[in-house]
Amino acid sequence: MDADTLLDWYDVHAREMPWRVPPGEARRPDPYHVWLSEVMLQQTTVAAVRDYFVKFTSRWPTVDDLAAAEDADVMAAWAGLGYYARARNLLKCAREVAARGGFPDTEADLLDLPGIGPYTAAAVAAIAFDRPAVVLDGNVERVMARRHAIEEPLPDSKETLRTLAARHTPQHRPGDYAQAVMDLGATICTPKSPACGICPWMEECTGRLAGIAAELPRKRPKKAKPTRHGTVYFARRPDGAVLMETRPPKGLLGGMLALPTTDWSDAPAPAPPLTTEWRDVGEVRHTFTHFHLILDVAVAESFANPDRGMWVERHALDPDALPTLFRKAFKLGQSALGPI
DNA sequence: GAACCGTGGTA
DNA sequence: TTACCAAGGTT
């Protein structure tokens, strides 16, 4: 059977990860660890997640600890990892789970929780609770598309791929199987230049036999990214405090600590956040999911009371608590103004 | 279904 | 430098 071939491969080649219980061990992983890692891994690489996972579980060892955390502390700890709605939903979810006394152990109930969609519900059900849920992520889609030579492009082929994934999912060791397919996709059945020569499924892979494995899954072409412009303000008081603001709770970088900026478009620039002499010291470039951004960096030294935002004392200001865009701007502004 | 939502690594 | 890409969810 296909699944057993893959499980045999996984028993030997499973990658080590801080949230994972190696194959062969009888114990179940902590559902809190499984959930936290799966949320962090949404559209994010294992390498990027590893340190954040260790940081979160050290600081908040249980879901009850996380539920009791301050919003701003969690957002600051998540800073740099991206997709900040995940952090907002992480807290909502932790609080719901704490209130109900633990994680639900079925796919359907997990799906009701904030930030848990079809993939994460299936992954937690399978990995934490050993339920034979059908786990379908980008890896599984790619592996199935190649294994069965599905030439129809995504996302149209998604239901076909789901049906195929369900056909492969075993009743035995479904949690290990789910991680095995994803490991296969991450290490052998990679998006570019797949290592078909060492693949445990090479014999039965019709995509490889047809010589089109590397071209699959086909995808519809993506739209070009527009470039937006604006200005970011770095204002510093003589005592070192910096003018900051918390971004609106929804939307891009929602809920995150940030430097004040204009709108990002071709619209006329709104007034600066305080009345003073601004000096242009350069620009920062940053690319988001669906647009490029170029911000002029304006600096000033001032005592003035801001029209918006708040002065944050130097000792209370950690640039690592900012989204990457603002880390860049902060660094440029700080170096332009020089030491206090 | 499609738009929105980050980041860092890689070719 | 640019474009693509990764263990998706929400609206």
Side-chain angles (χ1 to χ4, degrees):
Chain A
M1 174 150 177
D2 275 0
D4 290 328
T5 306
L6 196 52
L7 283 165
D8 288 344
W9 171 82
Y10 182 70
D11 286 338
V12 178
H13 297 283
R15 294 192 292 170
E16 288 196 342
M17 300 174 194
W19 49 86
R20 178 176 278 184
V21 170
E25 294 191 21
R27 67 191 166 98
R28 284 277 108 206
D30 183 343
Y32 169 57
H33 290 180
V34 176
W35 162 74
L36 179 61
S37 65
E38 290 301 340
V39 172
M40 287 182 166
L41 286 163
Q42 289 166 5
Q43 295 289 286
T44 309
T45 59
V46 170
V49 164
R50 195 172 249 117
D51 289 348
Y52 282 89
F53 178 85
V54 172
K55 176 169 69 176
F56 268 69
T57 51
S58 298
R59 186 164 176 184
W60 300 293
T62 69
V63 70
D64 294 316
D65 296 323
L66 182 59
E70 296 287 339
D71 291 42
D73 289 338
V74 174
M75 299 311 289
W78 195 277
L81 198 53
Y83 285 133
Y84 298 100
R86 292 186 296 172
R88 302 194 296 270
N89 286 327
L90 190 80
L91 256 175
K92 280 188 204 166
C93 184
R95 287 166 182 163
E96 285 192 25
V97 168
R100 72 187 297 286
F103 283 90
D105 64 355
T106 67
E107 185 178 5
D109 288 341
L110 286 161
L111 195 52
D112 286 336
L113 292 166
I116 297 185
Y119 162 74
T120 305
V124 174
I127 299 169
F129 301 112
D130 212 37
R131 297 194 180 272
V134 178
V135 172
L136 188 67
D137 73 330
N139 285 305
V140 181
E141 289 176 352
R142 184 170 60 255
V143 170
M144 290 301 144
R146 290 172 175 173
R147 167 71 181 74
H148 297 281
I150 304 301
E151 298 204 54
E152 181 186 25
L154 281 167
D156 310 72
S157 58
K158 182 149 183 160
E159 285 314 305
T160 299
L161 297 175
R162 180 179 296 283
T163 300
L164 293 169
R167 201 170 293 167
H168 285 279
T169 303
Q171 298 297 120
H172 176 61
R173 298 178 65 188
D176 281 343
Y177 170 79
Q179 294 175 95
V181 191
M182 293 191 283
D183 272 19
L184 184 74
T187 63
I188 290 178
C189 197
T190 51
K192 298 170 185 174
S193 309
C196 298
I198 57 171
C199 180
W201 274 357
M202 64 180 293
E203 300 294 342
E204 50 270 70
C205 181
T206 51
R208 184 189 71 87
L209 293 170
I212 58 172
E215 304 168 20
L216 302 178
R218 303 193 197 286
K219 296 181 181 178
R220 282 207 294 264
K222 296 173 181 175
K223 291 201 313 184
K225 296 181 181 187
T227 299
R228 298 182 187 170
H229 298 264
T231 300
V232 56
Y233 298 103
F234 185 86
R236 199 175 66 182
R237 259 183 352 201
D239 69 351
V242 176
L243 185 61
M244 307 293 299
E245 65 181 20
T246 301
R247 294 180 61 82
K250 293 185 178 180
L252 191 70
L253 310 179
M256 297 300 291
L257 188 63
L259 291 166
T261 79
T262 61
D263 286 338
W264 305 343
S265 64
D266 297 325
L274 56 73
T275 305
T276 187
E277 293 290 314
W278 292 99
R279 181 161 62 92
D280 195 329
V281 298
E283 65 180 31
V284 290
R285 292 167 179 260
H286 194 74
T287 298
F288 293 102
T289 311
H290 52 294
F291 64 94
H292 303 291
L293 179 64
I294 301 176
L295 292 182
D296 292 321
V297 180
V299 303
E301 291 190 280
S302 177
F303 279 117
N305 287 324
D307 299 322
R308 55 192 170 96
M310 67 261 175
W311 291 107
V312 177
E313 307 286 340
R314 181 184 182 79
H315 66 83
L317 220 178
D318 177 9
D320 286 340
L322 306 177
T324 300
L325 166 67
F326 295 109
R327 287 183 196 178
K328 294 180 186 175
F330 193 97
K331 185 177 176 182
L332 184 55
Q334 194 76 282
S335 69
L337 284 179
I340 306 295

